[in-house]
């Protein structure tokens, strides 16, 4: 009997993630004692660093170089380059007071998403204010911003697909910033003018985020002032934020208040604005500040933590800077009681006069990710597998890592709940709308299409990340129906009719869904595999379906979803086809939107393998790679596809009865070989 089906809800996915996040932190409590906090503190530091991605085992040589000096009244500005990782160089400006004697306190100034990065007038203002008050100041460009972008460009943005290109290799933009800022402190400590026991850090927006993490993890920093950046992690699930602020899986082990608490007993002043975004709002910040305040109290350091609130919008406004000057003066110089200090008269410099080079001479996010990715997959290409048994043991390990450390955690598999709507018929094709619950809170609208027939049917689950309406327009649907297949087209979570509103940022069409999923430790790609699992469970149990002939076909980006589903659901999927799929995660240039989605850029996936290595996990089942797109958006010829999937072909040859087909055109043979 037909049932009334739920209406697809574009708000469902956001609601699902927020409820999941709330449940993860439901038992949070402030530490009851200093001893309890010390135990939690060490665990928290370890988990944070692990989530940020690989850090160098030992620091490389800084190789500092002063490329230009500007002499000014009472101070000088040095244009500096230093190395933070091998071949990764940081562009910076040092503001050095010349009218004071002896060693002086120093402040690291990190920028947020200001158009000019470290050379922006707003960033310059605080640097000039501090140097005129007798501080040594170092301003650095963040990784992928300012002079560390792929090309010289005012207003460069290191987020969206540009910054998320780091994720597949296991790195994060946040982790790169933490390491850069640690090395910036190393540089400050190398300067003879600097009193290394009195160091501070400050920044606004994304720079405030950097400030919090640098202050939490580098105990050489004695005064920490994050501005217009503190809220709480759950609040991020209500907003679009840059990928530089994402700490993957953070909500599985902490909230922001404990991260702020890592600063104790050093000095911390949190600055918020009354007219800021929800994620940085005063109300949300108070939740984190209260937790941090409790931790400072355990250290008898209540006087060293302060929450300053300003009637203002997002930014680093003059009254905020003046409050920061007073705080730095109190805790780094031992002068005053932290009251605001009036900003001296300042005159900002022309950005070009603060430049270090005309073209970047350093690795940037894409080229760094390419280097790291190639190193990860080289282990596969170096191994010469001569027997099927060799591959099978390797594949078991790859699947285990894939499920446990990359795509997961997966919720327990369970019987699929669902409802079936009314059937309709046109030109001999029966159509039925169906609803399947993937997991509590996630209801998937699905369309069944089949030609009138009898017996148990072969079934094709046709995936398209644009949604089922797009999938049903693909020419393969008519071929499948004519040859007696049941065609199942779903809207996976956060796609099609379930796509959240305002999900796109720049070229990243699933920006917020991908980001928010990482906060709760459930990569979007892994969630799509969970959806495919639920669909197969629901379909395979139908009396009219042949459970031994279930094919999964992925169109465009969904080709990667098909491959990952085949790797994990080895026993349930009998054949796989990828139509025009992205062929690699690795590129020395930013990914084209046609070639990659943020939701597919799963942290650490290259530790298992690149697309051809994931494709090999389909062996010995039928696998068809029909068309492919390079990371730059180029459609590949058959010859290039064959070369690209050489590893996959090698694994299929080990099985002798090869069921691998590579072509650059969709034709009737695609269906025949399913």
């Amino acid at each position: 009997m037909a049932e009334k089906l739920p209406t697809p809800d574009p708000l469902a996915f956001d609601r699902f993630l927020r409820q999941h996040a709330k449940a993860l932190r439901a038992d949070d409590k402030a530490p009851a004692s200093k001893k309890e906090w010390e135990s939690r503190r060490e665990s928290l530091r370890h988990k944070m660093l692990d989530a940020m991605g690989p850090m160098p085992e030992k620091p490389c040589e800084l190789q500092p170089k002063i490329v230009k000096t500007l002499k000014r009244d009472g101070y000088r500005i040095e244009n500096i380059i230093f190395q933070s990782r091998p071949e990764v160089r940081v562009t910076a400006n040092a503001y050095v007071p010349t009218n004071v004697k002896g060693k002086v306190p120093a402040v690291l100034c990190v920028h947020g998403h200001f158009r000019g990065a470290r050379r922006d007038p707003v960033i310059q203002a605080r640097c000039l204010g501090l140097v005129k008050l007798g501080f040594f100041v170092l301003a650095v460009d963040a990784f992928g911003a300012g002079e560390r972008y792929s090309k010289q460009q005012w207003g460069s943005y290191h987020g969206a697909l540009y910054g998320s290109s780091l994720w597949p290799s296991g790195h994060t933009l946040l982790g790169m910033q933490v390491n850069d800022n640690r090395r910036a402190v190393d540089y400050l400590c190398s300067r003879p003018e600097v009193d290394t026991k009195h160091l501070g850090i400050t920044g606004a927006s994304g720079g405030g985020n950097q400030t919090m993490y640098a202050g939490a993890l580098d105990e050489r920093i004695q005064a920490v002032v994050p501005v217009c950046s503190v809220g709480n992690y759950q609040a991020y699930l209500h907003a679009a934020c840059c990928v530089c602020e994402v700490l993957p899986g953070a909500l599985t082990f902490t909230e922001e208040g404990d991260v702020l608490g890592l600063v104790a007993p050093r000095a911390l002043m949190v600055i918020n604005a009354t007219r800021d975004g929800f994620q940085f709002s005063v109300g949300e910040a108070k939740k984190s500040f209260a937790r941090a305040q409790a931790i400072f109290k355990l250290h008898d350091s209540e006087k060293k933590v302060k929450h300053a609130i300003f009637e203002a919008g997002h930014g680093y406004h003059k009254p905020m800077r003046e409050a920061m000057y007073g705080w730095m003066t109190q805790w780094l110089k031992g002068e005053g009681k932290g009251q605001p200090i009036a900003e001296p008269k300042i005159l900002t410099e022309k950005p070009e006069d603060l430049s270090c080079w005309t073209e970047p001479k350093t690795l940037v996010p894409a080229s760094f990710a390419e280097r790291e990715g190639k190193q990860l997959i080289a282990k596969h290409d170096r191994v010469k597998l001569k027997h099927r048994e060799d591959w099978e043991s390797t594949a078991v390990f790859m699947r285990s890592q894939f499920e446990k450390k990359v795509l997961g955690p997966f919720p327990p598999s369970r019987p699929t709940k669902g409802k079936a709507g009314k059937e309709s018929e046109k030109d001999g094709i029966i159509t039925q709308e169906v609803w399947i619950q993937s997991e509590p809170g996630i209801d998937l609208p699905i369309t069944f299409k089949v030609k009138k027939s009898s017996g148990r049917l072969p079934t094709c689950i046709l995936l398209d990340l644009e949604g089922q309406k797009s999938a049903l327009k693909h020419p393969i649907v008519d071929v499948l129906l004519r040859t007696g297949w049941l065609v199942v087209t779903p809207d996976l979570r956060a796609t099609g009719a379930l796509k959240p509103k305002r999900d796109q940022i720049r070229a990243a069409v699933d920006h917020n869904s991908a980001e928010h999923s990482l906060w709760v430790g459930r990569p979007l790609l892994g969630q799509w595999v969970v959806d495919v699992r639920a669909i197969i469970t629901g379909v395979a149990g139908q009396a009219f379906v042949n459970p031994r002939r279930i094919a999964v076909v992925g169109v465009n980006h969904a080709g990667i979803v098909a491959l990952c589903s085949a790797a994990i659901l080895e026993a349930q999927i009998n054949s796989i086809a990828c139509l025009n799929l992205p062929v690699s995660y690795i590129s020395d240039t930013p990914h084209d939107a046609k070639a990659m989605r943020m939701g597919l850029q799963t942290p650490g996936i290259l530790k298992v393998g690149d697309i051809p290595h994931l494709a090999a996990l389909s062996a010995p089942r039928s696998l068809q790679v029909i068309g492919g797109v390079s990371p730059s958006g180029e459609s590949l010829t058959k010859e290039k596809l064959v070369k690209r999937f050489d590893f996959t072909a090698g694994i299929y040859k080990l099985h002798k009865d090869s069921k691998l087909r590579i072509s650059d055109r969709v034709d009737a043979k695609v269906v025949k070989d399913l």
Side-chain angles (χ1 to χ4, degrees):
M1 181 181 293
E3 301 175 83
K4 185 177 181 180
L5 300 182
T7 302
D9 184 1
L11 302 177
F13 187 61
D14 285 338
R15 188 164 55 247
F16 167 77
L17 291 179
R18 292 168 191 168
Q19 290 172 348
H20 187 52
K22 186 177 181 180
L24 286 170
R25 308 303 339 141
D27 296 329
D28 271 1
K29 294 179 182 178
S33 66
K34 189 175 179 181
K35 182 179 179 181
E36 180 187 333
W37 168 246
E38 288 300 323
S39 176
R40 185 189 302 185
R41 177 181 177 278
E42 288 309 307
S43 174
L44 176 55
R45 285 175 59 89
H46 176 78
K47 289 177 179 178
M48 286 171 61
L49 289 168
D50 186 58
M52 288 176 185
M55 296 288 179
E57 292 184 8
K58 60 180 182 178
C60 63
E61 293 292 327
L62 281 170
Q63 299 178 353
K65 181 180 180 182
I66 300 174
V67 297
K68 182 179 179 180
T69 300
L70 304 175
K71 293 183 178 180
R72 299 293 183 258
D73 185 18
Y75 64 96
R76 67 179 182 272
I77 304 175
E78 299 170 354
N79 300 355
I80 296 167
I81 301 167
F82 63 86
Q83 185 175 236
S84 62
R85 297 178 189 248
E87 299 182 78
V88 177
R89 291 177 172 80
V90 180
T91 44
N93 295 113
Y95 295 73
V96 187
T98 56
N99 56 357
V100 293
K101 294 181 179 180
K103 293 180 180 292
V104 298
V107 178
L108 176 60
C109 283
V110 287
H111 65 81
H113 299 99
F114 294 85
R115 288 179 57 79
R118 78 177 201 283
R119 297 173 292 162
D120 192 276
V122 175
I123 313 303
Q124 287 190 53
R126 82 186 75 131
C127 296
L128 292 167
L130 283 164
V131 74
K132 288 197 170 193
L133 291 170
F135 293 90
F136 185 108
V137 185
L138 183 66
V140 296
D141 276 334
F143 190 53
E147 292 192 274
R148 302 175 70 192
Y149 195 68
S150 299
K151 57 183 179 181
Q152 290 297 294
Q153 180 179 327
W154 190 259
S156 60
Y157 179 59
H158 63 183
L161 289 172
Y162 189 70
S164 63
S165 65
L166 294 164
W167 292 346
S169 64
H171 291 271
T172 64
L173 205 47
L174 175 57
M176 298 298 291
Q177 291 174 338
V178 164
N179 185 68
D180 281 349
N181 292 332
R182 180 183 293 167
R183 301 314 313 281
V185 173
D186 289 344
Y187 177 75
L188 285 172
C189 291
S190 75
R191 292 291 300 241
E193 304 94 335
V194 171
D195 176 356
T196 59
K197 294 187 181 299
H198 293 91
L199 306 177
I201 185 170
T202 189
S205 189
N209 193 63
Q210 290 186 61
T211 296
M212 178 178 71
Y213 287 108
L217 295 170
D218 193 330
E219 295 183 356
R220 294 174 294 179
I221 300 172
Q222 296 300 308
V224 181
V225 185
V227 178
C228 288
S229 63
V230 171
N232 61 71
Y233 289 158
Q234 292 183 63
Y236 274 116
L237 304 186
H238 294 260
C241 295
C242 181
V243 299
C244 73
E245 296 172 84
V246 177
L247 181 62
L251 279 162
T252 65
F253 59 82
T254 195
E255 250 293 0
E256 194 165 340
D258 276 7
V259 177
L260 290 171
L262 291 174
V263 177
R266 294 165 289 135
L268 169 68
M269 179 165 71
V270 174
I271 294 179
N272 284 100
T274 56
R275 299 192 301 275
D276 211 335
F278 176 75
Q279 71 275 29
F280 306 136
S281 63
V282 171
E284 297 304 302
K286 282 183 176 180
K287 298 174 185 177
S288 295
F289 183 79
R291 174 65 69 89
Q293 197 171 33
I295 295 168
F296 271 80
K297 188 175 182 180
L298 293 176
H299 291 81
D300 297 321
S301 300
E302 297 98 319
K303 292 182 179 180
K304 298 182 78 173
V305 63
K306 181 178 181 180
H307 193 189
I309 300 168
F310 291 85
E311 184 64 39
H314 191 72
Y316 206 145
H317 308 289
K318 185 178 178 181
M320 297 175 177
R321 298 197 298 267
E322 292 177 336
M324 178 269 292
Y325 299 148
W327 192 255
M328 295 295 186
T329 297
Q330 179 183 12
W331 297 112
L332 298 185
K333 288 187 173 184
E335 299 173 5
K337 296 183 179 181
Q339 305 97 327
I341 294 176
E343 185 170 81
K345 184 177 180 180
I346 57 176
L347 181 65
T348 59
E349 304 287 340
K350 294 179 181 179
E352 56 268 27
D353 290 339
L354 300 178
S355 300
C356 293
W357 48 41
T358 55
E359 287 297 329
K361 300 172 184 176
T362 178
L363 293 177
V364 295
S367 53
F368 177 82
E370 180 201 29
R371 184 186 76 180
E372 298 297 297
K374 284 183 174 179
Q375 290 175 359
L376 287 172
I377 65 168
K379 62 184 179 183
H380 293 295
D381 298 329
R382 284 195 299 265
V383 175
K384 303 300 180 183
L385 299 170
K386 297 181 180 180
H387 303 285
R388 176 175 172 171
E389 291 76 13
D390 295 336
W391 168 247
E392 287 176 347
S393 62
T394 299
V396 168
F397 177 75
M398 289 173 66
R399 286 192 178 95
S400 173
Q401 295 297 297
F402 203 25
E403 181 173 350
K404 294 177 181 177
K405 296 188 176 181
V406 178
L407 296 181
F410 290 164
S413 183
R414 58 190 180 85
T416 300
K417 295 181 180 180
K419 295 180 180 180
K422 292 181 180 180
E423 291 184 1
S424 62
E425 184 180 340
K426 183 178 181 181
D427 300 328
I429 302 297
I430 298 171
T431 301
Q432 186 174 35
E433 303 302 320
V434 176
W435 163 84
I436 283 179
Q437 187 181 79
S438 177
E439 57 182 305
I442 299 293
D443 302 331
L444 308 177
I446 300 172
T447 299
F448 282 20
K449 278 187 176 292
V450 67
K451 190 177 181 180
K452 274 189 174 182
S453 59
S454 60
R456 307 194 85 180
L457 304 172
T459 300
C460 176
I461 299 170
L462 185 62
L463 306 175
D464 188 328
L465 295 184
E466 293 299 322
Q468 59 172 312
K469 288 184 178 179
S470 177
L472 287 168
K473 293 177 183 178
H474 198 283
I476 196 175
V477 173
D478 290 336
V479 182
L480 286 163
L481 293 173
R482 285 200 309 270
T483 51
W485 284 74
L486 168 65
V487 180
V488 178
T489 55
D491 279 338
L492 302 179
R493 68 185 72 190
T495 74
L498 301 178
K499 180 178 174 60
K501 296 179 180 179
R502 297 180 292 278
D503 206 22
Q504 181 167 348
I505 300 296
R506 302 209 174 191
V509 297
D510 54 0
H511 181 280
N512 296 343
S513 294
E515 266 195 3
H516 297 170
S517 294
L518 289 190
W519 277 110
V520 300
R522 297 224 17 217
L524 192 50
L525 177 55
Q527 294 186 66
W528 285 330
V529 172
V530 170
D531 289 346
V532 173
R533 182 184 69 178
I535 294 164
I536 291 175
T537 301
V539 168
Q542 302 302 311
F544 53 85
V545 169
N546 181 353
R548 296 186 178 184
R549 287 204 66 191
I550 293 181
V552 175
V553 177
V555 178
N556 300 328
H557 299 92
I560 295 179
V561 182
L563 291 178
C564 294
S565 299
I568 299 299
L569 308 173
E570 185 182 8
Q572 294 101 309
I573 297 174
N574 311 109
S575 60
I576 309 97
C578 305
L579 312 180
N580 202 41
L581 90 162
V583 300
S584 180
Y585 281 108
I586 299 173
S587 175
D588 64 350
T589 59
H591 277 280
D592 185 274
K594 296 177 184 177
M596 190 56 64
R597 284 183 175 229
M598 271 181 64
L600 300 172
Q601 290 185 320
T602 305
I605 197 168
L606 286 169
K607 295 177 183 178
V608 176
D610 201 5
I611 306 301
H613 307 98
L614 303 181
L617 292 171
S618 294
R621 295 163 290 170
S622 172
L623 170 64
Q624 299 180 72
V625 177
I626 312 298
V629 182
S630 73
S632 63
E634 171 196 4
S635 293
L636 301 186
T637 63
K638 181 178 179 180
E639 290 72 23
K640 288 184 177 181
L641 277 171
V642 169
K643 183 178 180 181
R644 180 67 205 152
F645 285 85
D646 178 67
F647 180 89
T648 315
I651 298 304
Y652 268 81
K653 285 177 183 177
L654 293 178
H655 292 81
K656 295 182 181 179
D657 181 18
S658 180
K659 295 181 181 179
L660 173 66
R661 178 175 177 239
I662 298 177
S663 176
D664 57 352
R665 290 189 301 173
V666 177
D667 53 28
K669 199 172 187 305
V670 176
V671 175
K672 183 180 178 182
D673 287 352
L674 283 176

